[in-house]
Amino acid sequence: MHNVVTWDHASPTEFRYNAKSHLLTYYSTNTFVDAEIVMLEKIKVDIPGYEQCWVEGIYHCLFCHGYEERGGASADVLAIDDYAPAAIALHLAGYTNRLTEKSAIYTNGNVAFVKGATGSEVTVELADGTLKIERFITHKPKGELNGPWVRQLSLEKSEQDLIKANPPFNETSVPGVFVGGDAGIMFQFVANTMNMAGLAGTGVAAQISVED
């Protein structure tokens, strides 16, 4: 886990276990249900070696991973998918450049990756056979909503192809249906997701109170 105070680098499993234990200890109105949920799944990137380097050397968020790998000679941005727009690629290159001596932007997927032997290092093979050793690669693959509920409930989607969440409590286009988490938010990191879920919970509680 990252960006959660006192839980940075901790196991998500441990976090969930402690959260559940605290809720059951201090509140008698909680019920936990094992159920399927709408999730945002990573679409496979068709670049040789990408999956082997994902998370270990390809990072989607430099606030989650990049700082720990600072100090290298170079690190690069893969400007395809969600990072294809020039403004986003340049923005990320600026962040990357703060953590390494220099950074470059790959503007297409005509490369291959090999996981390096040390830490987060990734060897990049260019189309002409040139090999480059990078401290890490920055890239966010496209995601897609899994599960049938968006279609079944006829939920409106946003420009980012996520469930459209109306502020302040993240109610969807269908009254009484709320979205919390990565499925309805562009900036997908734990603290932001928790905040979104909290707002959705507030909206649900408010509606129940009115109905009662």
Side-chain angles (χ1 to χ4, degrees):
M1 291 183 62
H2 302 276
N3 298 321
V4 179
V5 177
T6 75
W7 285 93
D8 204 35
H9 292 277
S11 165
T13 302
E14 184 182 0
F15 176 81
R16 289 193 295 268
Y17 174 82
N18 279 272
K20 182 177 181 179
S21 296
H22 286 191
L23 287 170
L24 292 176
T25 298
Y26 296 109
Y27 304 97
S28 60
T29 55
N30 289 291
T31 300
F32 287 85
V33 178
D34 290 327
E36 292 186 14
I37 60 174
V38 176
M39 298 178 63
L40 189 66
E41 291 192 336
K42 177 175 70 69
I43 297 176
K44 184 177 180 180
V45 178
D46 190 21
I47 294 178
Y50 185 99
E51 294 299 321
Q52 289 70 33
C53 296
W54 173 247
V55 178
E56 300 297 327
I58 298 177
Y59 301 143
H60 81 287
C61 174
L62 297 182
F63 286 100
C64 296
H65 300 282
Y67 182 78
E68 289 80 2
E69 305 300 336
R70 65 192 182 281
S74 65
D76 298 331
V77 175
L78 180 60
I80 62 173
D81 300 324
D82 285 353
Y83 285 178
I88 295 177
L90 289 171
H91 174 74
L92 291 165
Y95 274 115
T96 302
N97 205 42
R98 296 177 63 186
L99 301 174
T100 58
E101 295 179 13
K102 63 179 181 179
S103 63
I105 299 175
Y106 297 121
T107 56
N108 62 62
N110 194 16
V111 295
F113 298 131
V114 177
K115 181 66 185 72
T118 304
S120 61
E121 284 186 352
V122 176
T123 298
V124 181
E125 182 178 353
L126 304 180
D128 63 0
T130 300
L131 299 178
K132 295 181 62 182
I133 298 177
E134 305 296 350
R135 186 73 167 195
F136 58 84
I137 303 293
T138 303
H139 176 248
K140 178 181 178 294
K142 282 187 173 296
E144 63 180 354
L145 297 167
N146 98 353
W149 300 278
V150 175
R151 175 180 50 80
Q152 290 174 348
L153 296 174
S154 299
L155 300 179
E156 185 178 348
K157 294 200 288 186
S158 67
E159 293 180 0
Q160 293 79 34
D161 207 32
L162 302 170
I163 298 174
K164 185 177 180 179
N166 297 304
F169 300 122
N170 302 321
E171 189 171 20
T172 68
S173 56
V174 177
V177 178
F178 294 78
V179 57
D182 289 350
I185 196 166
M186 181 177 179
F187 299 105
Q188 296 149 355
F189 56 91
V190 178
N192 213 20
T193 299
M194 292 169 65
N195 176 63
M196 187 178 184
L199 291 171
T202 301
V204 171
Q207 282 202 4
I208 291 175
S209 297
V210 171
E211 291 172 359
D212 288 345

